[in-house]
Amino acid sequence: MITQYIPYAMSAILIVAVMIDLRTARMPNWLTLLPMVLFIVQVGAAGTPSVFTWQLVQGLIVFILGIGLFAAGGIGAGAVKLMAGTALIVPTSSAFYAILGFVGSVFVLFPIVIIVRKAIGSDDSKWAVLSRQILPMSLPIAVAGLLGMFAV
């Protein structure tokens, strides 16, 4: 069944998103829309599509919370779309692990990013994370997604 490969495809999307975000500080629309495509494929391939209702609700909640953070200037629009798309793929039974992974990685990875930037960053670096004062939201989103999809 194709649905068993959806988490692996989503993992690849998250890894690509992290690399693009670290390099350019942007997440392209085509990349942030791929999780929605995967969700549609997953629902279409399922014998009973109604089992994904709570995942859809989960994605909508994350999208609404993300829009609030975007409006407050906390995160970018690309991160909101990637986060909501990731929430669509993470099973509801593993959502707690995803939330813990997101919050925990913010407190662990962002200080590491700041330390690395201070140590080797420069204004002429080709990597946005090293040349500008940004915190790549794709990192905690990827950690959350991977934990949520592959947690026990």
Side-chain angles (χ1 to χ4, degrees):
M1 198 73 152
I2 195 167
T3 57
Q4 68 187 1
Y5 298 109
I6 298 288
Y8 299 107
M10 187 64 205
S11 299
I13 291 168
L14 290 171
I15 291 167
V16 170
V18 168
M19 296 308 297
I20 291 174
D21 193 20
L22 291 175
R23 178 76 176 194
T24 66
R26 298 201 178 279
M27 284 185 247
N29 285 331
W30 63 265
L31 183 66
T32 60
L33 294 175
L34 285 177
M36 283 92 174
V37 172
L38 288 178
F39 183 71
I40 291 168
V41 168
Q42 189 174 29
V43 169
T48 53
S50 62
V51 298
F52 295 104
T53 303
W54 285 111
Q55 280 179 243
L56 182 60
V57 170
Q58 176 177 282
L60 288 172
I61 291 169
V62 169
F63 184 72
I64 291 168
L65 292 174
I67 291 294
L69 285 171
F70 174 72
I75 61 176
V80 171
K81 292 181 283 189
L82 183 66
M83 194 165 40
T86 302
L88 288 174
I89 304 298
V90 171
T92 307
S93 60
S94 300
F96 180 72
Y97 296 112
I99 293 168
L100 282 180
F102 182 82
V103 172
S105 62
V106 164
F107 288 109
V108 172
L109 294 175
F110 283 175
I112 292 171
V113 168
I114 293 167
I115 291 168
V116 168
R117 183 185 308 131
K118 286 183 179 182
I120 63 171
S122 68
D123 290 337
D124 60 343
S125 176
K126 293 182 190 247
W127 290 84
V129 73
L130 296 176
S131 64
R132 300 193 329 224
Q133 300 292 324
I134 61 155
L135 292 173
M137 287 305 296
S138 60
L139 286 171
I141 294 169
V143 169
L146 292 172
L147 276 176
M149 290 184 292
F150 298 108
V152 177

